Amino acid sequence: MDRNVQVLVRLRPISAAESTAYGQKRCLIQDSSKTLSWTGHPETKFTFDHVACETISQEKLFRVVGLPMVENCMSGYNGCLFAYGQTGSGKTYTMMGELSKDGNELSNDSGLTPRIFEYLFARIKEEEERRREDKLKYICKCSFLEIYNEQITDLLEPSSTNLQIREDIKKGVYVENLMECYVSSVKDVMLLLLQGVANRKMAATNMNSESSRSHSVFTCVIESHWERDSMTHLRFGRLNLVDLAGSERKARALKETA
Ligand SMILES: Nc1ncnc2c1ncn2[C@@H]1O[C@H](COP(=O)(O)OP(=O)(O)OP(=O)(O)O)[C@@H](O)[C@H]1O
Ligand SMILES: [Mg+2]
């Protein structure tokens, strides 16, 4: 993890509908943990930082992608994770997956975001106990927005539409009037996710009956403070989790509504 930007490709299993329509034949073959071959003419090989196979579990993917980002953010670095791909390729499944209604238990299908926060709060507890003498404390606050037709809406307060992007010498780039909620457990985060996901713009495409038509950005600012040598130390890390709208052209993908 010594490079700033990494690209991981996740292959998803063939769906039942695809199998019925086209059979099990694949046009991509995974050659190694970093390379894929497209079996067309001419056959073409592509290399990435990682290629995750069709059968990789949500848990395993979290260990490869999510866990190192949490560790970096706790150390005061910013991290950003984008899911990019065409409609139905598995972006929302990867980023969110199944969200439990009561927010307590994660399931096999829970995606990166709930897993990241489960791990984050476990690590915070561990660190605060380990550095009790320093009076180390973490504070986390989250926001959730969507970008649709180049307009920003607050997914936690959907009446806040057309929010503006501003720049400030101290804060950097930020979205004005965006709601920020303090969170201290996976349950708190899960409730925000459920609320936000329900407010997101959706429509059916030819390849996904529950297609997210907007970009969504879930942000968590992780602040830590501790005391040493009679001084208070402060550290900030920001984690952006982005589920992009399908990368296909809208006119070709949206279902005909006669
Ligand atoms: N790795 C996977 N394993 C099992 N099912 C998956 C996997 N990836 C995606 N799916 C399923 O495929 C369908 C489409 O996935 P998803 O909604 O995540 O696509 P998307 O990339 O977010 O599409 P869109 O751009 O239209 O929002 C969903 O029913 C999802 O549960
Ligand atoms: Mg989606």
Side-chain angles (χ1 to χ4, degrees), residues 190-202:
M190 200 71 95
L191 294 176
L192 296 183
L193 292 175
L194 284 166
Q195 192 187 337
V197 166
N199 289 328
R200 216 177 148 187
K201 307 242 177 351
M202 310 267 277

Side-chain angles (χ1 to χ4, degrees), residues 181-210:
C181 301
Y182 287 94
V183 288
S184 55
S185 67
V186 196
K187 188 171 181 169
D188 291 347
V189 175
M190 200 71 95
L191 294 176
L192 296 183
L193 292 175
L194 284 166
Q195 192 187 337
V197 166
N199 289 328
R200 216 177 148 187
K201 307 242 177 351
M202 310 267 277
T205 65
N206 292 324
M207 291 158 87
N208 188 0
S209 59
E210 293 200 333

Side-chain angles (χ1 to χ4, degrees), residues 10-13 54 85-94 205 207-208 210-213 243-246 248:
R10 182 184 200 178
L11 302 173
R12 73 148 166 74
E54 281 179 28
Q86 73 169 36
T87 177
S89 54
K91 300 178 295 294
T92 305
Y93 178 79
T94 298
T205 65
M207 291 158 87
N208 188 0
E210 293 200 333
S211 177
S212 5
R213 304 317 300 161
D243 179 14
L244 293 171
E248 71 287 343

Side-chain angles (χ1 to χ4, degrees), residues 81-131:
L81 184 59
F82 282 97
Y84 174 84
Q86 73 169 36
T87 177
S89 54
K91 300 178 295 294
T92 305
Y93 178 79
T94 298
M95 296 302 290
M96 297 291 173
E98 190 173 58
L99 301 174
S100 68
K101 292 279 170 284
D102 56 9
N104 284 328
E105 295 266 310
L106 300 197
S107 73
N108 288 344
D109 280 324
S110 299
L112 284 173
T113 307
R115 284 173 198 279
I116 280 174
F117 285 94
E118 183 184 56
Y119 182 73
L120 173 70
F121 291 119
R123 285 285 294 112
I124 284 179
K125 193 163 172 250
E126 216 173 78
E127 280 300 289
E128 286 183 346
E129 273 167 22
R130 195 176 64 84
R131 292 178 52 194

